[in-house]
Amino acid sequence: MSKTPNYSRDDFVKAVNEQIKNKEAREAVFHALDYAQEKHEGQFRKSGEPYISHLINVAYILMTLHVQVVTIQAGLLHDVIEDCDVTFEELATEFNEEIASMVEAVTKIGNIQFKDEKEYLAENHRKIFIAMAKDIRVILIKLVDRLHNMRTLEFQPEYKQKKISNETLSVYAPIAHRLGINDIKNELEDLSFLYLHREKYYEIVKLVDNRKAERDAQVSEMIEAISLELTEHQIPHRIFGRSKHLYSIYKKMNQKNKRFEEILDLLAIRIVTDTEVACYEILGYIHARYRPIPGRLKDYIAMPKVNMYQSLHTTIMAENGHIFEVQIRTENMDLVAERGIAAHWRYKDGSTGHGQAEIEDKLSWLKDFNRLTTESDGDATEYMEVLQQDIFEANVYVMTPKGRVIDLPQGSTPIDFAYRIHTEVGHSTIGAKVKDVLVPLNTELKTGDVVNIRTSKNSMGPSEDWLKFVKTNHARNKIRNFIQKRELQNREEMISKGENMLREEMRKRKMDEKEFMKKEKLEPLFSSFNIKNYDDFMYAISVKSLSLQAVMEKLQVKTKSIIDFTKLFGQKDRPKHQNRSGIRVSGIDTMKISLANCCSPVPGDDIIGYITKGQGVKVHRSDCPNIRYETKRLIDVEWDEESIEGKFEVQLSIYCVDRSFLLTDIVTLTQQQKISISYVNAQVNDDLIHSTITLKVMVENQQTLKRLVTNLRKIDSVVSVERSIL
C-alpha cells in the first residue's frame, strides 16, 4: 500500500498562506492552531508523534475540501473539550459559539453508564447525526477526523484495528457516500478492507499490479484515439484514465461471484468538458465510433443520484475487443463527484453560516434523514439500525407524483414509501398506485417507479399483516407503536366493558353491586381463575374467556351467599319471564332460559337443557363437553321456531398455514356471505408456520353456519374450520 501523506505544521502554514487570501481569516486559523498546540502540549499519539500532528492533518484535509474558515478552526480544536478540560463556554468566549457548537458536537459522550460498548457507540453516533441534522459541517469534521485515524491505524493493536475498521465500514464510509464525498469514501473503504481482510487485500493488489502495465497501455491507446476524435470536432476536454478502488473490486468479486477478469470497468476513462451539451455530444461521437455494450448506458446528468452525483456512463468495446467504461461530465460535475457536499462551499467564498436549508434542497435524502432523526423515540441502537438500513443501504430510487425522489432499501414496498413521506400518511394508507396502476401493498418497488399513495381519514390504521412484508425499520417501528397504542386503548375499553357486564349480572341476581364490585371482594377470586390482577379479570370477562356464570358461582361461595335452588324457582310471587331465546321447555313457562356461551347453539343444532344455580336453564348443544358428565340437572328442550328472534353468535377456530393477506381473504369471504363479524383475532403459532384465527359471527341458523364453514374451508392455506367450545 502506498504511503499516506503526513502534513507538518510548516506544510499547513504554507497551505493557509497560499489558499486563504483574507488576512483576518488567516490570523483566525493561526490563532486556533496556537490555541490547540498550547492545550494539547504534552499529549502524544500511539505513533509517538505530538498530538497536534493529528489536528494539523485534519485541518489540512479540510482545506483540500475548500470548507469555510470556521470549519478549519473547528477541525483544529475538535478535541480540546474532550481531551483538555476546556468547557464549551471557554471555547465560545475565546472564539465564538458557532465554532464551540461544532466542537461540542464531535465530542464523545463521557461519564454516562451504558450496558455495553455497542450502546455506547450507538449513543455517540446518534449525538453526531443529530448535530449533523442541524449543521452538515459537523459530519465533515468527523469524517476527516476518522480518515486521518484510519491513515495511522497501524499503530493500534490488532483488535482495535478490526473494531475501528468495522465501525468505519458500517457508519462513516456510507455517510461519506451519501454526501457524495467519493475521495474520502473510497479511501475509508480501502483502509478498512486492508485491516479486516489483509490477505484478500494484497491478493487484489497483486492482481491489479500484474495487469497494470498491460492496462495502462490499453488505456493510453484508447485515450489517444478518443482525444484525437474530440479535437477534430473542436470539443474542449480533459481525458485521463481512472483506476477502480480495491474495495469495490472485492465487493463485485464477492457479492456477484465474479472473477477478477470479469469486472468490466477496470479499464476506465474519464472525460471532463465545459458544458452539459458537450457531454451528450461527446457520447454521440464515442457511440458512433465504438460499439456500446447493451444495458450499460446510464444518464446521471438528467437523473442525478441522491448524493448530487452527475455524469454520463457508458461501456464500449474497442476495435481490439477490450472493454472500457467511459464517464463524461463537466468540470463542476467532476468537482461534486469527488468532493460531494463539500464542493458546496467552493463557490461561496466569504459566505457565512452553514447553508443547511440550501444543502437540504440539493440532497433530497437529507430531509428524510433529518425527519427520521427528529422522530427517533427509540434507543440509540434502534436509531442506528434504522439509519444503516433505511438511509445508508438505500439503493432503490422512486418518485412521488410531484417528482420528489425517495430512496429506499432493496425490497421496499408502498407501505415503506408512505411512512417515509410522513408517519400519518403511512397510518392512513388504504391503497397504492405504481405508474398509475393499482397494486397490492406488498409490491416490491423498483428504481424509476412513480408511487401514488391512497389515504383515507376513516382508515382504521396499519394492519398487523403489514409487519410481514415491510422492509424499512422506520416503517416497522411506526406500525408496531401504533398497534401497541391501539391495543392498549382497546384493552382499556374492554376492561370497562367487563365491569359493566359484571354489574349487569349482579343486578339480574338481585345482588348489591356496590358491595360486590369492591376490589377486596373480587381479589380472592383471581387465584381461582389463575388471573393476576383486577384489569386482567375484567378483560377476561369482556372477551368471554372467563364466563360470568363461573365468576358468580365463585363469588357466591366466597361470600357465603349461595342462593337456595328451591327459592330461586319455587317462589309463587316470582314474575313470569318472557322467553325470547327461541327455546321451549315442556311444562315450564316461568323459568329463565338462555343459551350457553361455551358452545353457542344455533337453531338446527341438537340441544339439551341444564338447570343452573341462579341462572335458570342454560341450553347447550348435545355434544357440549361441559355437560358430558351431568345427568341429574339435564332436561329436554327444543327449538321453538315461532319465537326465534334475531341472530346467534358463534365462535369459529380456523387453523391454517400462515401467509400474507390470509386474514383479509377470510374477512372478505365472510362479508360476501352477508354474515356479520362481531370479533376477529389472528395469532401465529409457536412453529411460526401455522396460525390460528378466532372468528365470531352472527348467524340465523345452522344451515347458514354450515354454508359459511364450507366456503371458509375452500380458502387457500386454510387447514380446518371448527366451532369453538369455551
Side-chain angles (χ1 to χ4, degrees), residues 74-113:
L76 286 163
L77 301 166
H78 78 265
D79 278 331
V80 294
I81 291 179
E82 185 175 330
D83 295 339
C84 306
D85 296 324
V86 174
T87 65
F88 176 91
E89 289 74 22
E90 286 177 59
L91 201 59
T93 301
E94 184 70 28
F95 294 93
N96 58 51
E97 203 163 296
E98 184 180 8
I99 291 172
S101 294
M102 284 191 275
V103 173
E104 197 278 332
V106 296
T107 300
K108 290 177 184 172
I109 296 170
N111 300 324
I112 298 176
Q113 292 298 314

mmCIF file of all heavy atoms in Angstrom, residues 74-113:
data_model
loop_
_atom_site.group_PDB
_atom_site.id
_atom_site.type_symbol
_atom_site.label_atom_id
_atom_site.label_comp_id
_atom_site.label_asym_id
_atom_site.label_seq_id
_atom_site.Cartn_x
_atom_site.Cartn_y
_atom_site.Cartn_z
ATOM 1 N N ALA A 74 -12.580 24.772 13.658
ATOM 2 C CA ALA A 74 -13.214 23.716 14.459
ATOM 3 C C ALA A 74 -12.458 22.401 14.315
ATOM 4 O O ALA A 74 -12.349 21.620 15.268
ATOM 5 C CB ALA A 74 -14.675 23.544 14.045
ATOM 6 N N GLY A 75 -11.898 22.143 13.108
ATOM 7 C CA GLY A 75 -11.091 20.942 12.894
ATOM 8 C C GLY A 75 -9.847 20.939 13.763
ATOM 9 O O GLY A 75 -9.468 19.905 14.331
ATOM 10 N N LEU A 76 -9.193 22.088 13.895
ATOM 11 C CA LEU A 76 -8.008 22.202 14.750
ATOM 12 C C LEU A 76 -8.357 22.031 16.228
ATOM 13 O O LEU A 76 -7.561 21.504 17.013
ATOM 14 C CB LEU A 76 -7.341 23.566 14.534
ATOM 15 C CG LEU A 76 -6.562 23.753 13.219
ATOM 16 C CD1 LEU A 76 -6.311 25.226 12.952
ATOM 17 C CD2 LEU A 76 -5.236 22.979 13.266
ATOM 18 N N LEU A 77 -9.553 22.446 16.592
ATOM 19 C CA LEU A 77 -9.952 22.478 18.011
ATOM 20 C C LEU A 77 -10.846 21.302 18.412
ATOM 21 O O LEU A 77 -11.306 21.246 19.546
ATOM 22 C CB LEU A 77 -10.717 23.788 18.283
ATOM 23 C CG LEU A 77 -9.957 25.088 18.007
ATOM 24 C CD1 LEU A 77 -10.921 26.276 17.975
ATOM 25 C CD2 LEU A 77 -8.875 25.315 19.065
ATOM 26 N N HIS A 78 -11.050 20.334 17.507
ATOM 27 C CA HIS A 78 -12.151 19.388 17.725
ATOM 28 C C HIS A 78 -11.977 18.467 18.930
ATOM 29 O O HIS A 78 -12.930 17.827 19.360
ATOM 30 C CB HIS A 78 -12.401 18.564 16.447
ATOM 31 C CG HIS A 78 -11.434 17.459 16.197
ATOM 32 N ND1 HIS A 78 -10.332 17.605 15.404
ATOM 33 C CD2 HIS A 78 -11.404 16.172 16.629
ATOM 34 C CE1 HIS A 78 -9.667 16.463 15.343
ATOM 35 N NE2 HIS A 78 -10.298 15.572 16.087
ATOM 36 N N ASP A 79 -10.754 18.403 19.505
ATOM 37 C CA ASP A 79 -10.551 17.529 20.668
ATOM 38 C C ASP A 79 -10.300 18.280 21.973
ATOM 39 O O ASP A 79 -10.061 17.650 23.011
ATOM 40 C CB ASP A 79 -9.373 16.584 20.412
ATOM 41 C CG ASP A 79 -9.782 15.364 19.587
ATOM 42 O OD1 ASP A 79 -10.955 14.955 19.688
ATOM 43 O OD2 ASP A 79 -8.939 14.835 18.844
ATOM 44 N N VAL A 80 -10.366 19.609 21.969
ATOM 45 C CA VAL A 80 -9.980 20.337 23.195
ATOM 46 C C VAL A 80 -10.994 20.155 24.326
ATOM 47 O O VAL A 80 -10.616 20.123 25.501
ATOM 48 C CB VAL A 80 -9.757 21.854 22.929
ATOM 49 C CG1 VAL A 80 -8.552 22.078 22.031
ATOM 50 C CG2 VAL A 80 -11.002 22.517 22.372
ATOM 51 N N ILE A 81 -12.286 20.031 23.999
ATOM 52 C CA ILE A 81 -13.286 19.801 25.057
ATOM 53 C C ILE A 81 -13.120 18.396 25.623
ATOM 54 O O ILE A 81 -13.155 18.191 26.845
ATOM 55 C CB ILE A 81 -14.716 20.007 24.514
ATOM 56 C CG1 ILE A 81 -14.958 21.484 24.192
ATOM 57 C CG2 ILE A 81 -15.759 19.517 25.527
ATOM 58 C CD1 ILE A 81 -16.350 21.785 23.623
ATOM 59 N N GLU A 82 -12.886 17.429 24.761
ATOM 60 C CA GLU A 82 -12.797 16.022 25.183
ATOM 61 C C GLU A 82 -11.500 15.714 25.922
ATOM 62 O O GLU A 82 -11.504 14.974 26.908
ATOM 63 C CB GLU A 82 -12.917 15.120 23.952
ATOM 64 C CG GLU A 82 -12.970 13.641 24.267
ATOM 65 C CD GLU A 82 -13.202 12.806 23.020
ATOM 66 O OE1 GLU A 82 -13.858 13.300 22.077
ATOM 67 O OE2 GLU A 82 -12.724 11.666 22.989
ATOM 68 N N ASP A 83 -10.379 16.289 25.451
ATOM 69 C CA ASP A 83 -9.063 15.872 25.967
ATOM 70 C C ASP A 83 -8.357 16.904 26.839
ATOM 71 O O ASP A 83 -7.348 16.575 27.476
ATOM 72 C CB ASP A 83 -8.130 15.525 24.796
ATOM 73 C CG ASP A 83 -8.615 14.312 24.015
ATOM 74 O OD1 ASP A 83 -9.389 13.521 24.575
ATOM 75 O OD2 ASP A 83 -8.213 14.167 22.838
ATOM 76 N N CYS A 84 -8.825 18.153 26.859
ATOM 77 C CA CYS A 84 -8.049 19.213 27.525
ATOM 78 C C CYS A 84 -8.835 19.946 28.614
ATOM 79 O O CYS A 84 -8.413 21.025 29.070
ATOM 80 C CB CYS A 84 -7.553 20.233 26.488
ATOM 81 S SG CYS A 84 -6.625 19.475 25.141
ATOM 82 N N ASP A 85 -9.983 19.399 28.996
ATOM 83 C CA ASP A 85 -10.806 20.014 30.059
ATOM 84 C C ASP A 85 -11.202 21.449 29.749
ATOM 85 O O ASP A 85 -11.377 22.274 30.649
ATOM 86 C CB ASP A 85 -10.077 19.976 31.414
ATOM 87 C CG ASP A 85 -9.853 18.545 31.892
ATOM 88 O OD1 ASP A 85 -10.744 17.710 31.647
ATOM 89 O OD2 ASP A 85 -8.804 18.279 32.502
ATOM 90 N N VAL A 86 -11.316 21.774 28.473
ATOM 91 C CA VAL A 86 -11.827 23.094 28.074
ATOM 92 C C VAL A 86 -13.348 23.011 28.022
ATOM 93 O O VAL A 86 -13.897 22.057 27.464
ATOM 94 C CB VAL A 86 -11.268 23.513 26.696
ATOM 95 C CG1 VAL A 86 -11.906 24.815 26.224
ATOM 96 C CG2 VAL A 86 -9.750 23.643 26.756
ATOM 97 N N THR A 87 -14.048 23.968 28.603
ATOM 98 C CA THR A 87 -15.510 23.941 28.596
ATOM 99 C C THR A 87 -16.052 24.602 27.330
ATOM 100 O O THR A 87 -15.334 25.352 26.644
ATOM 101 C CB THR A 87 -16.089 24.678 29.819
ATOM 102 O OG1 THR A 87 -15.751 26.068 29.710
ATOM 103 C CG2 THR A 87 -15.539 24.109 31.115
ATOM 104 N N PHE A 88 -17.319 24.325 27.054
ATOM 105 C CA PHE A 88 -17.992 24.949 25.904
ATOM 106 C C PHE A 88 -17.947 26.465 26.045
ATOM 107 O O PHE A 88 -17.676 27.190 25.073
ATOM 108 C CB PHE A 88 -19.443 24.456 25.840
ATOM 109 C CG PHE A 88 -20.266 25.104 24.756
ATOM 110 C CD1 PHE A 88 -20.342 24.541 23.492
ATOM 111 C CD2 PHE A 88 -20.963 26.286 24.997
ATOM 112 C CE1 PHE A 88 -21.092 25.141 22.487
ATOM 113 C CE2 PHE A 88 -21.714 26.896 24.002
ATOM 114 C CZ PHE A 88 -21.784 26.309 22.739
ATOM 115 N N GLU A 89 -18.209 26.939 27.261
ATOM 116 C CA GLU A 89 -18.265 28.390 27.499
ATOM 117 C C GLU A 89 -16.895 29.031 27.251
ATOM 118 O O GLU A 89 -16.806 30.115 26.640
ATOM 119 C CB GLU A 89 -18.728 28.668 28.937
ATOM 120 C CG GLU A 89 -20.201 28.346 29.201
ATOM 121 C CD GLU A 89 -20.480 26.848 29.281
ATOM 122 O OE1 GLU A 89 -19.519 26.074 29.545
ATOM 123 O OE2 GLU A 89 -21.643 26.453 29.068
ATOM 124 N N GLU A 90 -15.821 28.369 27.712
ATOM 125 C CA GLU A 90 -14.466 28.898 27.480
ATOM 126 C C GLU A 90 -14.172 29.007 25.990
ATOM 127 O O GLU A 90 -13.629 30.008 25.509
ATOM 128 C CB GLU A 90 -13.420 27.972 28.123
ATOM 129 C CG GLU A 90 -13.349 28.043 29.641
ATOM 130 C CD GLU A 90 -12.334 27.044 30.181
ATOM 131 O OE1 GLU A 90 -11.147 27.130 29.802
ATOM 132 O OE2 GLU A 90 -12.739 26.157 30.963
ATOM 133 N N LEU A 91 -14.517 27.946 25.258
ATOM 134 C CA LEU A 91 -14.236 27.918 23.824
ATOM 135 C C LEU A 91 -15.048 28.981 23.088
ATOM 136 O O LEU A 91 -14.543 29.648 22.175
ATOM 137 C CB LEU A 91 -14.544 26.524 23.265
ATOM 138 C CG LEU A 91 -13.876 26.151 21.934
ATOM 139 C CD1 LEU A 91 -12.355 26.229 22.052
ATOM 140 C CD2 LEU A 91 -14.298 24.753 21.509
ATOM 141 N N ALA A 92 -16.311 29.142 23.483
ATOM 142 C CA ALA A 92 -17.172 30.141 22.844
ATOM 143 C C ALA A 92 -16.653 31.551 23.109
ATOM 144 O O ALA A 92 -16.726 32.433 22.243
ATOM 145 C CB ALA A 92 -18.607 29.995 23.350
ATOM 146 N N THR A 93 -16.098 31.757 24.300
ATOM 147 C CA THR A 93 -15.554 33.079 24.649
ATOM 148 C C THR A 93 -14.270 33.353 23.869
ATOM 149 O O THR A 93 -14.056 34.453 23.352
ATOM 150 C CB THR A 93 -15.280 33.159 26.166
ATOM 151 O OG1 THR A 93 -16.495 32.919 26.870
ATOM 152 C CG2 THR A 93 -14.726 34.525 26.546
ATOM 153 N N GLU A 94 -13.407 32.341 23.764
ATOM 154 C CA GLU A 94 -12.116 32.503 23.084
ATOM 155 C C GLU A 94 -12.292 32.659 21.575
ATOM 156 O O GLU A 94 -11.567 33.424 20.927
ATOM 157 C CB GLU A 94 -11.232 31.290 23.370
ATOM 158 C CG GLU A 94 -9.838 31.385 22.808
ATOM 159 C CD GLU A 94 -8.975 32.426 23.519
ATOM 160 O OE1 GLU A 94 -9.218 32.694 24.723
ATOM 161 O OE2 GLU A 94 -8.064 32.976 22.868
ATOM 162 N N PHE A 95 -13.294 31.944 21.020
ATOM 163 C CA PHE A 95 -13.532 32.001 19.575
ATOM 164 C C PHE A 95 -14.956 32.529 19.321
ATOM 165 O O PHE A 95 -15.162 33.721 19.313
ATOM 166 C CB PHE A 95 -13.290 30.620 18.942
ATOM 167 C CG PHE A 95 -11.857 30.202 19.033
ATOM 168 C CD1 PHE A 95 -11.401 29.429 20.097
ATOM 169 C CD2 PHE A 95 -10.941 30.603 18.067
ATOM 170 C CE1 PHE A 95 -10.065 29.066 20.198
ATOM 171 C CE2 PHE A 95 -9.605 30.240 18.145
ATOM 172 C CZ PHE A 95 -9.163 29.482 19.231
ATOM 173 N N ASN A 96 -15.914 31.642 19.117
ATOM 174 C CA ASN A 96 -17.321 32.052 19.029
ATOM 175 C C ASN A 96 -18.200 30.823 19.252
ATOM 176 O O ASN A 96 -17.725 29.682 19.284
ATOM 177 C CB ASN A 96 -17.646 32.736 17.694
ATOM 178 C CG ASN A 96 -17.326 31.846 16.499
ATOM 179 O OD1 ASN A 96 -17.743 30.685 16.450
ATOM 180 N ND2 ASN A 96 -16.584 32.387 15.528
ATOM 181 N N GLU A 97 -19.489 31.062 19.408
ATOM 182 C CA GLU A 97 -20.414 29.973 19.731
ATOM 183 C C GLU A 97 -20.555 28.997 18.560
ATOM 184 O O GLU A 97 -20.784 27.804 18.751
ATOM 185 C CB GLU A 97 -21.785 30.552 20.107
ATOM 186 C CG GLU A 97 -22.596 29.608 20.968
ATOM 187 C CD GLU A 97 -23.738 30.302 21.684
ATOM 188 O OE1 GLU A 97 -23.481 31.186 22.535
ATOM 189 O OE2 GLU A 97 -24.883 29.942 21.377
ATOM 190 N N GLU A 98 -20.422 29.496 17.328
ATOM 191 C CA GLU A 98 -20.534 28.643 16.145
ATOM 192 C C GLU A 98 -19.452 27.566 16.162
ATOM 193 O O GLU A 98 -19.730 26.370 15.961
ATOM 194 C CB GLU A 98 -20.411 29.501 14.879
ATOM 195 C CG GLU A 98 -20.609 28.724 13.581
ATOM 196 C CD GLU A 98 -20.478 29.623 12.353
ATOM 197 O OE1 GLU A 98 -20.096 30.801 12.503
ATOM 198 O OE2 GLU A 98 -20.751 29.127 11.243
ATOM 199 N N ILE A 99 -18.210 27.972 16.421
ATOM 200 C CA ILE A 99 -17.094 27.022 16.480
ATOM 201 C C ILE A 99 -17.257 26.089 17.677
ATOM 202 O O ILE A 99 -17.085 24.866 17.565
ATOM 203 C CB ILE A 99 -15.749 27.773 16.543
ATOM 204 C CG1 ILE A 99 -15.483 28.474 15.206
ATOM 205 C CG2 ILE A 99 -14.605 26.826 16.901
ATOM 206 C CD1 ILE A 99 -14.284 29.403 15.238
ATOM 207 N N ALA A 100 -17.620 26.640 18.826
ATOM 208 C CA ALA A 100 -17.790 25.825 20.038
ATOM 209 C C ALA A 100 -18.874 24.767 19.846
ATOM 210 O O ALA A 100 -18.733 23.630 20.315
ATOM 211 C CB ALA A 100 -18.132 26.723 21.224
ATOM 212 N N SER A 101 -19.947 25.112 19.131
ATOM 213 C CA SER A 101 -21.032 24.153 18.888
ATOM 214 C C SER A 101 -20.563 22.996 18.024
ATOM 215 O O SER A 101 -20.923 21.840 18.269
ATOM 216 C CB SER A 101 -22.216 24.854 18.213
ATOM 217 O OG SER A 101 -22.796 25.794 19.083
ATOM 218 N N MET A 102 -19.746 23.288 16.994
ATOM 219 C CA MET A 102 -19.229 22.219 16.139
ATOM 220 C C MET A 102 -18.299 21.303 16.924
ATOM 221 O O MET A 102 -18.351 20.073 16.791
ATOM 222 C CB MET A 102 -18.509 22.807 14.920
ATOM 223 C CG MET A 102 -19.444 23.335 13.847
ATOM 224 S SD MET A 102 -18.562 23.734 12.304
ATOM 225 C CE MET A 102 -18.006 25.394 12.646
ATOM 226 N N VAL A 103 -17.432 21.887 17.762
ATOM 227 C CA VAL A 103 -16.502 21.089 18.570
ATOM 228 C C VAL A 103 -17.267 20.236 19.568
ATOM 229 O O VAL A 103 -16.980 19.043 19.740
ATOM 230 C CB VAL A 103 -15.489 21.999 19.291
ATOM 231 C CG1 VAL A 103 -14.637 21.183 20.264
ATOM 232 C CG2 VAL A 103 -14.607 22.718 18.276
ATOM 233 N N GLU A 104 -18.257 20.815 20.215
ATOM 234 C CA GLU A 104 -19.050 20.068 21.198
ATOM 235 C C GLU A 104 -19.780 18.906 20.534
ATOM 236 O O GLU A 104 -19.926 17.824 21.121
ATOM 237 C CB GLU A 104 -20.055 21.015 21.868
ATOM 238 C CG GLU A 104 -20.658 20.505 23.165
ATOM 239 C CD GLU A 104 -21.827 19.561 22.949
ATOM 240 O OE1 GLU A 104 -22.514 19.693 21.912
ATOM 241 O OE2 GLU A 104 -22.055 18.685 23.809
ATOM 242 N N ALA A 105 -20.223 19.110 19.289
ATOM 243 C CA ALA A 105 -20.990 18.076 18.580
ATOM 244 C C ALA A 105 -20.150 16.840 18.294
ATOM 245 O O ALA A 105 -20.661 15.715 18.313
ATOM 246 C CB ALA A 105 -21.555 18.640 17.280
ATOM 247 N N VAL A 106 -18.840 17.017 18.014
ATOM 248 C CA VAL A 106 -17.988 15.859 17.702
ATOM 249 C C VAL A 106 -17.300 15.294 18.944
ATOM 250 O O VAL A 106 -16.529 14.338 18.852
ATOM 251 C CB VAL A 106 -16.922 16.206 16.630
ATOM 252 C CG1 VAL A 106 -17.573 16.563 15.317
ATOM 253 C CG2 VAL A 106 -16.004 17.322 17.098
ATOM 254 N N THR A 107 -17.592 15.869 20.111
ATOM 255 C CA THR A 107 -17.013 15.377 21.362
ATOM 256 C C THR A 107 -17.776 14.152 21.840
ATOM 257 O O THR A 107 -19.008 14.153 21.884
ATOM 258 C CB THR A 107 -17.068 16.480 22.448
ATOM 259 O OG1 THR A 107 -16.326 17.609 21.994
ATOM 260 C CG2 THR A 107 -16.491 15.975 23.764
ATOM 261 N N LYS A 108 -17.050 13.098 22.194
ATOM 262 C CA LYS A 108 -17.694 11.857 22.643
ATOM 263 C C LYS A 108 -18.430 12.063 23.954
ATOM 264 O O LYS A 108 -18.056 12.889 24.778
ATOM 265 C CB LYS A 108 -16.650 10.746 22.804
ATOM 266 C CG LYS A 108 -16.063 10.252 21.496
ATOM 267 C CD LYS A 108 -14.989 9.221 21.751
ATOM 268 C CE LYS A 108 -14.337 8.794 20.443
ATOM 269 N NZ LYS A 108 -13.162 7.936 20.675
ATOM 270 N N ILE A 109 -19.470 11.247 24.156
ATOM 271 C CA ILE A 109 -20.234 11.277 25.401
ATOM 272 C C ILE A 109 -19.371 10.696 26.518
ATOM 273 O O ILE A 109 -18.759 9.646 26.367
ATOM 274 C CB ILE A 109 -21.533 10.457 25.261
ATOM 275 C CG1 ILE A 109 -22.433 11.094 24.200
ATOM 276 C CG2 ILE A 109 -22.259 10.343 26.579
ATOM 277 C CD1 ILE A 109 -23.612 10.237 23.807
ATOM 278 N N GLY A 110 -19.311 11.388 27.649
ATOM 279 C CA GLY A 110 -18.494 10.897 28.763
ATOM 280 C C GLY A 110 -19.275 10.791 30.058
ATOM 281 O O GLY A 110 -20.352 11.370 30.210
ATOM 282 N N ASN A 111 -18.761 10.014 30.988
ATOM 283 C CA ASN A 111 -19.310 9.880 32.348
ATOM 284 C C ASN A 111 -20.766 9.448 32.392
ATOM 285 O O ASN A 111 -21.516 9.844 33.280
ATOM 286 C CB ASN A 111 -19.151 11.208 33.110
ATOM 287 C CG ASN A 111 -17.695 11.613 33.226
ATOM 288 O OD1 ASN A 111 -16.827 10.762 33.372
ATOM 289 N ND2 ASN A 111 -17.428 12.906 33.133
ATOM 290 N N ILE A 112 -21.195 8.671 31.415
ATOM 291 C CA ILE A 112 -22.545 8.096 31.442
ATOM 292 C C ILE A 112 -22.392 6.583 31.351
ATOM 293 O O ILE A 112 -21.621 6.076 30.539
ATOM 294 C CB ILE A 112 -23.401 8.621 30.267
ATOM 295 C CG1 ILE A 112 -23.570 10.135 30.365
ATOM 296 C CG2 ILE A 112 -24.768 7.943 30.251
ATOM 297 C CD1 ILE A 112 -24.324 10.751 29.202
ATOM 298 N N GLN A 113 -23.138 5.868 32.187
ATOM 299 C CA GLN A 113 -23.039 4.414 32.206
ATOM 300 C C GLN A 113 -23.890 3.804 31.084
ATOM 301 O O GLN A 113 -25.054 4.145 30.926
ATOM 302 C CB GLN A 113 -23.513 3.871 33.563
ATOM 303 C CG GLN A 113 -22.588 4.237 34.715
ATOM 304 C CD GLN A 113 -21.193 3.654 34.543
ATOM 305 O OE1 GLN A 113 -21.031 2.491 34.204
ATOM 306 N NE2 GLN A 113 -20.173 4.484 34.770
#
